[in-house]
Amino acid sequence: MTVTTQPSGPELADVHAIVEQVWSSFLGDEEPLLPRYADAAEEGTPAFPAEHVWSAAVSVHGGWTGTVTVELSSSVAQSLTRLMLAMEDEPLDDAEVADAVGELVNMIGGNIKSLMPGPSALTLPVVAAGRAAHSSELAEVARFDAMWNGEPVRISVHAPQS
Amino acid sequence: MAPASFQLIAALVLRETSIIYEPRKEYLVEARLHPLAAQAGCASVDAYVQMLSINPVERRKAIDALTINETSWFRDNAPYQAFTETMLPALMANRTERRHLSIWSAACSSGQEAYSIAMLLDQHLPAGWTADILATDVSTAMLTRVENGRYSQVEMNRGLPATSLVKYFTRAGSEWEIVPALRKMVRTRHLNLAEPFPVIGTFDLVLLRNVLIYFDQPTKHGILRRMHQHVASDGYLLLGSSETTLDLPADLHAMWDREQIGRVQAHRPAGGLTVPRPSSTTFSAALTGARP
Amino acid sequence: MTESPMTQRAMIIDDSKAMRSILRRIVSGLSFETAEAAHGQEALDQMEAGFMPDLCLIDWNMPVMDGYTFITEVRKRPEWRNITLMMVTTESEQGQIVKALAAGAHEYVIKPFTPDAIVEKLELLGLVSKGVLA
């Protein structure tokens, strides 16, 4: 008997391509996003070297079910908010940063959804100050780590444990 | 990268494409030229920039690399409109027996021009007609892209009507892939326009758009001279919108008639008839520039 | 901005202020007068109140009323038939594009996009003439 299970997650190369396109479209290509792959010697997840972090997540439900999460250092979050709002020196409030980070995960999550079997629906983004927490029922199925301006950016995809 | 090299390259790009590279983009210019410099065997980007002043092929590659986001589907719209509304009906009227059209996308880059034409042929060619599109480029990497027929999401957004996107492409991972029916219409071949052309035959439409700007005057003239025998006597040659007022020597000027079609100026072999002539006639006209 | 019958109007409908800001800069640069709404219902309310757009740029996933519902609502009103509707969304499955076009969207831009992509689509739609940025 054949048991069909959902494909666990997207290909890392596709996730990379999507993040790269979102990044270069809205944040310019003067400062490239540099991929950072886990050191072979390093056990498990590489460190996320930032003190202040923003995180945002969208969920996909339907033909494929999972969660797409973006985590970035506060300084990356501020920079991308300024670039998207075309603001230079004016002070930013948290609502503006949350909005921009939410739109970032919406764009990445929506494109990751289209890599997976559909039809599926995308939730509105949930944004938080601090690292993302994941339910124990979800397992990480893809992760893309990068550095931008010397600060960390992480995109991870979680799906139900099969 | 030396400031002088950056100034040289910025001036070149500005002159050829009207794109402005500000000094703060030095990093970007260096990042894009570095692989080309290495490929060309230059020890540095500075040395490569020096080479550009004497090497038109490298100059074109460099400008391509620096204007990498400039390729759109149906670029400039007007030539494609002129094709469906005027050129295609006229060509078909003269080919009711052969029922076949040949088109050449010279300097095809990543293939948007060739596939845009393929989409229009799919929509407008009546049943029983066939067409082939030859896509040539000096870059084999570009030819591979055309053969793969795969485009990123960002490329798909550039000027492609949504109805055509859903009709002619399927999702392939993070990319979109052209449907087999259109891909079959397009064949690729490596060709350097600056050198004598191989035996490629005659075409009903030649698209030579936004490429002459990369060549110096004598090379441009040589290309337009050689091109003459590859355009059917009732065919069309389309140049880029900024390339139609080229200063040509008298004999070369006389080789081409200019015809305004909407907002587009088409070049047609001078003295062309409304019915195809034997190719030898076309050939001698090409050599002498004389009207029969 | 002085009121002139020649000035085209654009309604930008997206729940993200950052995205509305990006789109506003692009269409303002094309001389559109703009209004913004955070969801479909807010856009409908502004249209009822008198801001009649020539063009709507519409996100799909939004609270209160999503972009797909907004399109079907606009298409129920014959007096609004001249409004050009363009989706600008991260929804990128072929099926979603087909669905939006069938509901009455004229064009579809997938996020992420570059400013050129918006300009070229508006050229295709005949809302912007070629070379306006030159």
Side-chain angles (χ1 to χ4, degrees), chain A residues 89-130:
Chain A
D89 303 316
E90 308 96 292
L92 285 176
D93 61 38
D94 280 359
E96 287 168 326
V97 177
D99 172 89
V101 175
E103 182 59 16
L104 185 72
V105 78
N106 169 55
M107 287 190 275
I108 295 170
N111 277 281
I112 288 177
K113 170 165 87 90
S114 68
L115 298 175
M116 308 306 294
S120 303
L122 188 70
T123 64
L124 296 174
V126 176
V127 185

Side-chain angles (χ1 to χ4, degrees), chain B residues 72 153 157-158 160 169 171, chain C residues 92 94 107 110 120-121:
Chain B
S72 320
Q153 189 70 80
N157 273 333
R158 301 291 310 272
L160 181 67
F169 291 86
R171 199 77 208 209
Chain C
S92 46
Q94 213 141 355
E107 262 304 338
I110 298 168
E120 286 163 354
K121 290 282 189 175

Side-chain angles (χ1 to χ4, degrees), chain B residues 69-70 72 76-77 153-154 156-163 165-167 169-171 176 263, chain C residues 92-94 97-98 101 106-114 116-118 120-121 123-124 130:
Chain B
N69 296 322
E70 286 308 294
S72 320
D76 300 333
N77 289 339
Q153 189 70 80
V154 170
M156 295 304 287
N157 273 333
R158 301 291 310 272
L160 181 67
T163 46
L165 185 154
V166 295
K167 188 170 177 192
F169 291 86
T170 51
R171 199 77 208 209
W176 293 80
R263 290 192 288 125
Chain C
S92 46
E93 291 96 324
Q94 213 141 355
I97 304 174
V98 171
L101 294 176
H106 296 92
E107 262 304 338
Y108 202 105
V109 173
I110 298 168
K111 295 175 183 174
F113 56 83
T114 54
D116 303 318
I118 301 286
E120 286 163 354
K121 290 282 189 175
E123 284 168 5
L124 278 181
K130 185 73 202 169

Side-chain angles (χ1 to χ4, degrees), chain A residues 54-143:
Chain A
W54 282 89
S55 60
V58 287
S59 296
V60 177
H61 299 281
W64 177 78
T65 292
T67 302
V68 177
T69 308
V70 171
E71 293 168 283
L72 21 78
S73 78
S74 175
S75 96
V76 175
Q78 303 248 352
S79 302
L80 82 88
T81 307
R82 288 187 186 285
L83 281 165
M84 289 173 85
L85 290 172
M87 285 169 64
E88 301 209 338
D89 303 316
E90 308 96 292
L92 285 176
D93 61 38
D94 280 359
E96 287 168 326
V97 177
D99 172 89
V101 175
E103 182 59 16
L104 185 72
V105 78
N106 169 55
M107 287 190 275
I108 295 170
N111 277 281
I112 288 177
K113 170 165 87 90
S114 68
L115 298 175
M116 308 306 294
S120 303
L122 188 70
T123 64
L124 296 174
V126 176
V127 185
R131 295 293 305 277
H134 294 284
S135 141
S136 60
E137 278 139 49
L138 297 177
E140 186 177 87
V141 291
R143 186 183 65 241

Side-chain angles (χ1 to χ4, degrees), chain B residues 29-259:
Chain B
V29 170
E30 180 146 16
R32 291 202 173 158
L33 293 188
H34 193 269
L36 293 176
Q39 215 175 39
C42 293
S44 67
V45 170
D46 292 320
Y48 182 70
V49 171
Q50 287 305 311
M51 181 185 187
L52 296 184
S53 59
I54 51 162
N55 187 329
V57 172
E58 287 301 327
R59 193 154 65 227
R60 161 133 206 276
K61 283 201 225 164
I63 290 170
D64 275 352
L66 292 169
T67 56
I68 202 145
N69 296 322
E70 286 308 294
T71 312
S72 320
W73 305 93
F74 300 99
R75 184 172 174 181
D76 300 333
N77 289 339
Y80 295 96
Q81 197 180 344
F83 174 68
T84 37
E85 288 175 6
T86 307
M87 299 177 212
L88 186 58
L91 290 167
M92 283 171 56
N94 287 346
R95 286 158 183 72
T96 47
E97 291 197 1
R98 210 171 146 232
R99 294 184 166 217
H100 182 81
L101 292 177
S102 290
I103 291 159
W104 178 14
S105 170
C108 63
S109 189
S110 41
Q112 281 87 341
E113 180 179 79
Y115 286 125
S116 295
I117 287 285
M119 289 179 223
L120 294 179
L121 289 169
D122 178 74
Q123 289 158 29
H124 298 281
L125 264 192
W129 284 71
T130 54
D132 70 84
I133 301 166
L134 175 67
T136 67
D137 204 276
V138 69
S139 155
T140 47
M142 284 297 170
L143 295 177
T144 305
R145 286 212 58 197
V146 178
E147 286 153 19
N148 291 341
R150 278 186 172 218
Y151 299 91
S152 75
Q153 189 70 80
V154 170
E155 288 174 309
M156 295 304 287
N157 273 333
R158 301 291 310 272
L160 181 67
T163 46
S164 299
L165 185 154
V166 295
K167 188 170 177 192
Y168 297 120
F169 291 86
T170 51
R171 199 77 208 209
S174 64
E175 300 181 308
W176 293 80
E177 187 173 299
I178 193 98
V179 295
L182 263 56
R183 186 163 42 198
K184 268 186 238 144
M185 229 187 266
V186 177
R187 68 201 156 91
T188 61
R189 178 164 184 167
H190 179 260
L191 189 146
N192 182 352
L193 290 166
E195 290 167 2
F197 301 163
V199 179
I200 49 173
T202 308
F203 299 89
D204 305 313
L205 168 65
V206 177
L207 299 140
L208 183 69
R209 301 176 58 222
N210 309 304
V211 59
L212 289 180
I213 52 168
Y214 298 108
F215 298 106
D216 59 19
Q217 207 70 330
T219 312
K220 276 178 198 173
H221 295 166
I223 294 169
L224 285 174
R225 235 176 265 280
R226 287 196 294 281
M227 196 54 87
H228 189 274
Q229 64 170 293
H230 295 287
V231 181
S233 55
D234 67 336
Y236 302 85
L237 167 68
L238 287 182
L239 307 178
S241 53
S242 59
E243 298 169 316
T244 47
T245 51
L246 298 166
D247 240 349
L248 303 182
D251 68 314
L252 179 56
H253 186 88
M255 284 168 80
W256 296 97
D257 286 336
R258 285 138 196 89
E259 188 175 313

